[in-house]
Amino acid sequence: MATRPLPDRVAALAVLDDPTRRAVFDLVARAGRAISRDQAAQALGVSRRVAAVHLDRLADQGLLAVEYRRPPGRGGPGAGRPAKLYRRTEGEVAVSVPERHYDVVGGLLAAAVTESIDTGGDVREVLHRTAYDAGKTIGTAAGNLLAALEDAGYEPRRQDSDSGAVVLGNCPFHRLARQYTALVCGVNLQLLRGVADGAGDSTCHAELDPGPGRCCVRLRPAAS
């Protein structure tokens, strides 16, 4: 569900802990256009070298995008090398502990409501199918059920060696699940069934089994 692994997202946000680097990021973010090292240095009252170090560090972490362009009116032979410019990326970096992915539920709901409006289909049926399809895509990409669950923030763990059941120690949709339990848990169930099918794991069956301190879905051996 996350576009970047949690350690990478933590590292990206950690670079903003430096006051000067945060000031550089805020300057670029508010500029509304790509700015050069010289412009950043002049605006913040630091040397060009200091501005370059911070701009490149932010770009390395994916918080800024880089482009090369000559100033207006300068081109052709003798114009020199294009200037290195920086702008804020359109992507976003979010970190929550435990892992939460409310954007996933939001996307599924928006897609289901849109299809329901366009086709007249029952919104709950569309939502469950949409969730299943999304889960199948996640499972297929991971190729392994436990890996897919771990990457999605579910914190899977074997309940015991005898039963083979998998308990999900975290719900990525926790706050919404508490507010809209039936709706969100139903989405979660279909999503996880899709994950299992996409990962090609026929040994586990996802079923609702809510309990304190864990996800509302448990994975039991398919034969039980």
Side-chain angles (χ1 to χ4, degrees), residues 52-73:
V53 168
H54 289 303
L55 286 165
D56 285 336
R57 184 68 183 280
L58 291 164
D60 289 343
Q61 292 296 334
L63 297 175
L64 297 182
V66 175
E67 60 187 60
Y68 295 87
R69 191 169 64 240
R70 289 191 176 95

Side-chain angles (χ1 to χ4, degrees), residues 23 26 87:
D26 288 343
R87 57 178 174 78

